Amino acid sequence: MPELQTAATRVTLVGYGRWGRNIGRNLHELGALAGVCDTSSENRNKAAAAMPEVPLFATAADVPPDHAVAIAAPAAQHAELAEYFLQRGQHVFVEKPRALNIADGARLVALAKERNLRLMVGHLLHYHPAITRLAELINAGTLGRMRCMYSHRLNLGRFRREESSLWSFAPHDIAILLRIVGSMPERVIATGGHFLHPQIADTTVTQLAWANGVQAHIYVSWLHPFKEQRLVVVGEDAMAVFDDRQPLQEKLVLYRHGVQWRDGVPEPVRAEPEPVAIDPVEPLRAEMQTFIDAIENPASK
């Protein structure tokens, strides 16, 4: 285990489920974890076993009002919990989605601004060193003018009953595409298939188009025979592939493929793949540190 640090900010984790445990571990190693709150006694027992010195709370009302909170509860509870803690004057980190409808999401933003509080939404891929490096390559013009992007986020399970595969998976990809292109698309079309529940889409395909001609396709599903997490960015001069299932040294690969014309017919010019070096940084650690820094340095952006 990395050496534990000491942070001035005190954060209580709300929700010690599968993902909450990872957030708790990182906050603990950063010296910022001041408590774990979970309505499940089983989850509280797991937290006690992993970090016996950390206080446990059974309800949101038990969380000390001078703590910041990191919410990793089920998605349907995000907006309600975030609003509750913001109303109490506490800084809030909440896993995506911030809310399950636009009105609730906008209300949280307005409340945080009104009370001058930090409201941070978890978008883990923004802190992934491969995504940071990819953005640098694009900004440097290594890929040339961007043409199209393809993103797949697929797996078999875990089946949700609160949000669709679009809400559960696609926010990761949408956030990264917006960062890469640098603007909002002018057209979005999303379609889905409902196979396990009549009102919850298990598979969705989303198409995005920008005014500059760039297009993107996002395919997400939890009804897929194997796990895949891959983003392909196609430019005029090169193509980049981010495959999060690969080892660190192969997660980001550059392909300087080209096209040549022979008698009016385009033919591919293939090049050898070029792995791109990235820093061995745990994205969740960087994300939690950003939340802490935002609280301790209010002037930071």
Side-chain angles (χ1 to χ4, degrees):
M1 175 184 292
E3 182 179 350
L4 297 182
Q5 305 176 36
T6 301
T9 298
R10 298 168 62 79
V11 183
T12 286
L13 171 65
V14 180
Y16 197 73
R18 290 186 181 184
W19 187 242
R21 293 166 204 163
N22 294 319
I23 293 177
R25 171 178 56 82
N26 276 279
L27 286 171
H28 187 240
E29 292 170 3
L30 288 169
L33 186 65
V36 172
C37 176
D38 201 301
T39 57
S40 164
S41 59
E42 179 182 356
N43 285 344
R44 293 197 303 274
N45 288 337
K46 290 178 179 178
M51 301 167 293
E53 76 283 6
V54 175
L56 302 177
F57 310 110
T59 70
D62 296 329
V63 176
D66 61 336
H67 289 190
V69 295
I71 299 171
Q77 300 175 23
H78 285 184
E80 180 181 1
L81 285 169
E83 182 172 14
Y84 174 78
F85 289 113
L86 289 171
Q87 290 283 10
R88 294 177 72 187
Q90 293 167 265
H91 299 290
V92 172
F93 170 91
V94 58
E95 268 301 332
K96 62 84 190 162
R98 178 174 66 225
L100 294 183
N101 62 68
I102 294 174
D104 286 347
R107 187 172 66 256
L108 294 178
V109 171
L111 182 58
K113 288 182 177 179
E114 173 190 321
R115 307 220 166 187
N116 194 28
L117 295 168
R118 292 300 194 185
L119 171 62
M120 179 174 170
V121 181
H123 278 297
L124 189 65
L125 283 185
H126 276 306
Y127 302 89
H128 198 298
I131 293 299
T132 299
R133 190 73 183 95
L134 174 60
E136 292 172 350
L137 291 173
I138 291 172
N139 292 334
T142 303
L143 274 62
R145 181 182 176 187
M146 281 189 296
R147 293 299 194 185
C148 54
M149 298 172 285
Y150 311 92
S151 182
H152 290 179
R153 191 169 298 274
L154 311 166
N155 201 4
L156 181 61
R158 181 169 53 100
F159 308 125
R160 274 69 164 180
R161 279 294 175 264
E162 297 165 328
E163 79 268 24
S164 69
S165 60
L166 177 69
W167 279 92
S168 184
F169 291 169
H172 294 292
D173 307 286
I174 293 172
I176 296 308
L177 294 179
L178 295 180
R179 175 180 176 181
I180 289 174
V181 179
S183 63
M184 296 291 286
E186 65 175 6
R187 186 174 72 254
V188 178
I189 301 173
T191 59
H194 307 71
F195 308 110
L196 301 180
H197 189 285
Q199 295 179 325
I200 298 177
D202 307 290
T203 298
T204 67
V205 176
T206 305
Q207 302 177 43
L208 304 94
W210 281 263
N212 61 3
V214 176
Q215 295 191 21
H217 304 268
I218 302 172
Y219 173 37
V220 299
S221 175
W222 53 52
L223 283 178
H224 198 75
F226 55 86
K227 190 170 185 177
E228 181 178 352
Q229 296 176 356
R230 183 180 297 160
L231 169 66
V232 177
V233 181
V234 178
E236 282 186 333
D237 301 329
M239 306 175 184
V241 178
F242 166 55
D243 190 342
D244 208 15
R245 298 287 292 164
Q246 298 302 316
L248 181 67
Q249 64 273 18
E250 300 174 20
K251 285 185 183 292
L252 182 60
V253 178
L254 196 64
Y255 294 84
R256 299 183 190 270
H257 298 327
V259 177
Q260 68 179 10
W261 295 79
R262 295 181 184 274
D263 300 323
V265 178
E267 295 182 357
V269 179
R270 302 185 183 277
E272 292 298 315
E274 304 173 22
V276 179
I278 58 176
D279 297 328
V281 177
E282 183 177 359
L284 186 54
R285 175 67 58 85
E287 186 175 49
M288 290 298 99
Q289 186 64 63
T290 298
F291 179 53
I292 293 170
D293 290 344
I295 296 171
E296 297 180 353
N297 302 287
S300 65
K301 297 293 184 181

